[in-house]
Amino acid sequence: MSAPSNALPITQSYQGILLYCTAIFLFVCMDSIVKYTAQFYDPSQVVWARYFFHMVLMTLFLAPSQGMKLIRTSNLKLQVFRSMLLLGATICFFTALKYVPLADAGAMGSTSPLFVTVLSVLILKEKVSFRRWSAVIIGFMGALIILRPGLGIVHPAMFLVVGMSVFYASYQIATRKLAGIDSSVTTLFYTALVGTVVMSIVAPFVWTAPDAKGWGLLAVIGLIGGVSHFVIIKAFSYTSASTAAPFSYTQLVWTAIFGYFAFGDLPDQYTILGAIVIVASGLYILYRERVRKQT
């Protein structure tokens, strides 16, 4: 008996989800190393390493086969602007990781889909239903549960994670505008190039000469970041972004595990409650987005 005609697409979708979850795991590995390394080096130096070694990886493995196609773009300004947004998100998050627990940063970072919804209205002029707006408001209430503003309980660096979410949401909006204009490999190259150039200007002012172990850690951060982006690109060749998106919340599990075993940190009850509210609202927004596209 022959296999069902839709067996292959389903298998491919599962492969894409598995690759996406692998990328999320790798990103948490990178963030854990960043948190450790930031104890010895300024966050700006760690950000430089993140982009520099990513750039080295792309140059070694893609430049020989891609040639000039790697840098050929139809919208240079948007490529640079998008890359600067991701750089801003990276600076905020890496700086915050120096001061706040990994799981807390991961929970607050989950607010990014909420900001994407808000910015899609302001920038892309998309129509958002009352139910989706309600989910956004509930999600932000979850963020307030974690932050508890006015009580002075959380470290001020947590607001850098909020800034990261805004930058990253804006980066996602810019990525939507680039879709179909340039190849994903070209877009990834400009991400590494712009970050490397900008941070190479900043890093000398905060530079601490690394020893052999330090260079190893800095190199691993950049290499994991580069490989993770490649894995995500591969994942999206098997499945759609909307299908994979809900699995981004697996980062909360990994950040809790890594935070406890590597740094002895556990999220408190308010962080857990806030994360549950944020994740629930985010999943509902994704569900409504899928319904909207189907109709």
Side-chain angles (χ1 to χ4, degrees):
M1 181 180 292
S2 62
S5 60
N6 62 344
L8 182 59
I10 292 176
T11 302
Q12 288 181 338
S13 183
Y14 287 154
Q15 290 175 337
I17 291 170
L18 178 60
L19 286 170
Y20 188 79
C21 290
T22 300
I24 296 300
F25 172 77
L26 290 174
F27 277 127
V28 175
C29 290
M30 180 187 71
D31 292 340
S32 301
I33 300 172
V34 166
K35 183 170 179 61
Y36 174 77
T37 308
Q39 299 176 49
F40 311 103
Y41 305 101
D42 188 272
S44 295
Q45 185 173 346
V46 181
V47 173
W48 169 84
R50 158 70 182 87
Y51 284 98
F52 175 77
F53 288 104
H54 183 173
M55 184 71 183
V56 170
L57 184 69
M58 293 201 68
T59 302
L60 290 176
F61 288 94
L62 290 181
S65 61
Q66 296 290 324
M68 292 301 295
K69 290 190 296 183
L70 200 60
I71 61 174
R72 190 175 296 121
T73 173
S74 300
N75 197 328
L76 179 61
K77 290 183 179 179
L78 185 56
Q79 283 285 7
V80 173
F81 179 66
R82 171 190 172 278
S83 299
M84 290 297 294
L85 290 172
L86 184 60
L87 177 60
T90 306
I91 292 172
C92 287
F93 197 64
F94 281 19
T95 303
L97 284 177
K98 183 173 183 176
Y99 304 102
V100 303
L102 194 63
D104 292 15
M108 184 56 64
S110 298
T111 58
S112 182
L114 309 180
F115 286 109
V116 170
T117 300
V118 174
L119 293 175
S120 66
V121 174
L122 297 177
I123 298 175
L124 301 180
K125 307 303 180 183
E126 292 183 358
K127 301 295 184 181
V128 175
S129 67
F130 173 78
R131 283 181 286 188
R132 287 178 67 192
W133 275 123
S134 299
V136 169
I137 293 171
I138 292 172
F140 284 130
M141 289 173 62
L144 291 176
I145 292 173
I146 297 174
L147 289 173
R148 284 157 280 173
L151 299 181
I153 297 175
V154 300
H155 195 285
M158 280 292 284
F159 290 96
L160 284 174
V161 185
V162 178
M164 181 279 294
S165 293
V166 175
F167 273 118
Y168 191 70
S170 303
Y171 154 82
Q172 289 180 290
I173 296 296
T175 301
R176 287 187 190 180
K177 285 185 168 292
L178 272 173
I181 297 178
D182 291 334
S183 70
S184 57
V185 175
T186 297
T187 299
L188 184 58
F189 177 80
Y190 274 97
T191 299
L193 176 64
V194 172
T196 299
V197 171
V198 173
M199 296 314 297
S200 292
I201 297 172
V202 175
F205 295 98
V206 296
W207 189 262
T208 299
D211 55 14
K213 177 183 177 182
W215 276 117
L217 290 170
L218 293 173
V220 167
I221 289 170
L223 295 177
I224 291 178
V227 170
S228 299
H229 278 288
F230 282 121
V231 173
I232 284 182
I233 290 174
K234 189 66 175 178
F236 289 159
S237 70
Y238 288 108
T239 190
S240 66
S242 60
T243 300
F247 294 90
S248 63
Y249 292 116
T250 58
Q251 69 160 324
L252 297 176
V253 177
W254 294 120
T255 53
I257 293 173
F258 277 74
Y260 176 71
F261 286 102
F263 306 103
D265 296 326
L266 275 177
D268 61 23
Q269 58 188 2
Y270 294 101
T271 300
I272 295 173
L273 176 60
I276 291 173
V277 173
I278 292 169
V279 170
S281 63
L283 290 176
Y284 183 77
I285 288 171
L286 289 170
Y287 166 73
R288 293 305 309 173
E289 177 70 12
R290 182 172 297 181
V291 170
R292 183 183 69 85
K293 288 182 177 179
Q294 289 176 346
T295 56

